[in-house]
Amino acid sequence: MWQRIKNGLEVRIGLEDLINTKLKNYTVPRNTNIFYTLGGVALVAFIIQAISGFFLLIYYVPHSEHAFRSVQYIMTVAPFGWLFRLMHVVGSNLLVAVIFLHMLSVFFMGSYKKPRELTWIVGWLMLLVTLTFCLSGYLLPWSQLSYWTTTVVTAMPTAFPYVGDYIANLLRGGEFVSGITLNRFFALHVAFLPPLLVGLMVIHVFLIRRIGLSSPPFDESAEEARPWTEYRHVSYPNGNSFYPYFVLKELYMVALYLVVMFFVITFLPTLFLPEASNIPANPLRTPAYIKPQWYFLAPYQMLKLIPNKFLGISMQIALIGTFLLWPFFDTKKERNILKRPLLLATFTASLLLWVVLTMWGRSS
Ligand code: HEM
């Protein structure tokens, strides 16, 4: 049966030639480490989000009167609804963690340098879109947590003179978070952001294939060391084939991702669903304290520490801009961060600061 399908495809699309030229003859460096698999894991994690989100959409009602109850229905009555909801909630947190790790490893290995600046920028845009996914998705269950977190976040633009109020009102569809905000965030979450992220992913993967994967900088190949004066595809004649070698490596890491996801779903199901997420939204009752998700805690804590809101938000925008355009600031050819003590020290200090701010934000 399988052989007949293969023969049928061979006659029609030249399957073997396709596999040979696109997968087997496409080579990756011999010494790729496990960090090279994180991009692929993020890709699979996103697909899991899309599939589980599709099943949630069957029962979810995007209306302020029904949203909370529809989510309760998914958790308690709809067949396997609890599983898809937990996959979606846990998956969103793990996806952000995987993207962070992918970005850190790309930074650590200097893979953002010429000729891969565009790959880095598109990656950053994907990170920002993913965070917008998380923010918009947070409001959808219409719980106390959803409502008040969105109230805090949508008030942020008001720190800016002239345009601030306009932006905040545009996001909320009025002066307060309401059913209109829910509809806007729902439309963003299911209709605008998915094609945007898919489009960015296509460009990201195209750039990676077109340029070729970078080799680890710790024992850089001669090909990578050659000056980049005109376009060429970076290939590794002595490297490993993408398929099956690299694909198998990716699959091991995807399996590990699934193990972590199902471990959390089974043993720590409420890890990302605190008490306030089980109480329906009440615009008249502000909860005692409200905290954003773990990945927003560091910027949130930073804003709390800087008394001037305008200054705090402007600093964060400047930080994002600097990181986004980092490959154009750091044009030194040396990719091995271990040979650049100042950059290594700044990288480690920034990472530590992020961890400290996150823990501080959690406990304060
Ligand atoms: C949804 C998010 C993302 C997905 C699905 C994704 C996917 C991928 C894949 C499949 C690869 C090739 C294998 C690898 O090196 O892991 C890759 C490489 C790369 N990614 Fe991403 N990525 C994402 C986010 C990011 C972010 C946030 C950045 C940086 C800000 C980034 C920058 C890069 C760079 C520079 C490379 C080239 C690495 C090399 O050639 O060695 N990516 N990405």
Side-chain angles (χ1 to χ4, degrees), residues 82-83 86-88 90 260-269:
W82 61 272
L83 181 60
L86 286 177
M87 279 175 78
H88 205 69
V90 174
V260 174
M261 176 189 243
F262 285 106
F263 178 87
V264 175
I265 291 177
T266 311
F267 298 108
L268 304 161

Side-chain angles (χ1 to χ4, degrees), residues 35-44 46 95 99-100 102-103 106 109 111-113 116 119-127 130 197 201 204-205 208 212-215 246 250 323 335:
F35 295 107
Y36 276 80
T37 60
L38 291 174
V41 176
L43 212 62
V44 174
F46 172 72
L95 173 59
I99 297 177
F100 276 173
H102 173 53
M103 188 172 72
V106 161
M109 291 195 281
S111 315
Y112 55 84
K113 292 191 172 229
R116 299 185 178 83
T119 320
W120 169 267
I121 291 179
V122 175
W124 248 100
L125 295 180
M126 287 199 286
L127 172 64
T130 306
L197 192 56
M201 275 178 185
H204 199 64
V205 173
I208 294 155
L213 217 57
S214 67
S215 63
F246 195 68
E250 297 253 18
F323 260 134
R335 280 180 54 217

Side-chain angles (χ1 to χ4, degrees), residues 64-115:
S64 53
E65 297 276 308
H66 308 290
F68 185 79
R69 242 179 308 134
S70 71
V71 173
Q72 298 299 304
Y73 184 87
I74 289 171
M75 288 300 273
T76 52
V77 184
F80 296 106
W82 61 272
L83 181 60
F84 288 116
R85 166 121 196 270
L86 286 177
M87 279 175 78
H88 205 69
V89 171
V90 174
S92 70
N93 285 276
L94 293 186
L95 173 59
V96 174
V98 170
I99 297 177
F100 276 173
L101 288 177
H102 173 53
M103 188 172 72
L104 285 181
S105 72
V106 161
F107 189 89
F108 193 78
M109 291 195 281
S111 315
Y112 55 84
K113 292 191 172 229
K114 194 175 179 183

Side-chain angles (χ1 to χ4, degrees), residues 142-344:
W142 204 247
S143 64
Q144 274 292 72
L145 186 67
S146 321
Y147 187 90
W148 291 100
T149 311
T150 310
T151 299
V152 172
V153 172
T154 53
M156 280 185 181
T158 58
F160 286 89
Y162 309 115
V163 287
D165 284 344
Y166 175 76
I167 297 175
N169 285 1
L170 187 73
L171 282 173
R172 294 185 296 229
E175 276 193 49
F176 305 100
V177 173
S178 67
I180 303 173
T181 327
L182 179 64
N183 288 136
R184 286 182 186 203
F185 278 35
F186 177 70
L188 257 183
H189 198 78
V190 306
F192 182 72
L193 296 175
L196 183 63
L197 192 56
V198 170
L200 290 170
M201 275 178 185
V202 170
I203 302 175
H204 199 64
V205 173
F206 164 77
L207 289 168
I208 294 155
R209 281 301 298 255
R210 182 79 183 144
I211 299 168
L213 217 57
S214 67
S215 63
F218 313 108
D219 43 355
E220 208 172 19
S221 73
E223 173 64 359
E224 278 283 340
R226 252 174 71 195
W228 197 273
T229 47
E230 58 187 348
Y231 168 74
R232 65 176 189 271
H233 176 75
V234 182
S235 59
Y236 303 92
N238 298 322
N240 290 312
S241 56
F242 178 75
Y243 173 83
Y245 171 79
F246 195 68
V247 172
L248 270 179
K249 208 168 170 157
E250 297 253 18
L251 286 180
Y252 280 131
M253 290 303 278
V254 169
L256 182 64
Y257 177 85
L258 291 175
V259 167
V260 174
M261 176 189 243
F262 285 106
F263 178 87
V264 175
I265 291 177
T266 311
F267 298 108
L268 304 161
T270 56
L271 185 63
F272 301 115
L273 291 171
E275 194 54 39
S277 68
N278 293 319
I279 305 167
N282 183 350
L284 302 176
R285 245 188 87 212
T286 319
Y289 49 75
I290 204 88
K291 291 226 166 78
Q293 299 101 309
W294 61 271
Y295 38 86
F296 287 130
L297 280 174
Y300 180 69
Q301 184 62 19
M302 188 176 154
L303 284 182
K304 278 206 292 188
L305 294 176
I306 302 171
N308 185 322
K309 249 170 116 191
F310 175 69
L311 183 71
I313 297 176
S314 306
M315 270 173 69
Q316 297 202 346
I317 294 176
L319 268 177
I320 292 176
T322 311
F323 260 134
L324 184 76
L325 300 174
W326 184 252
F328 298 104
F329 295 126
D330 176 20
T331 49
K332 275 221 172 84
K333 224 187 139 280
E334 180 57 69
R335 280 180 54 217
N336 188 348
I337 198 168
L338 301 177
K339 290 189 184 160
R340 298 184 58 191
L342 188 63
L343 184 64
L344 183 62

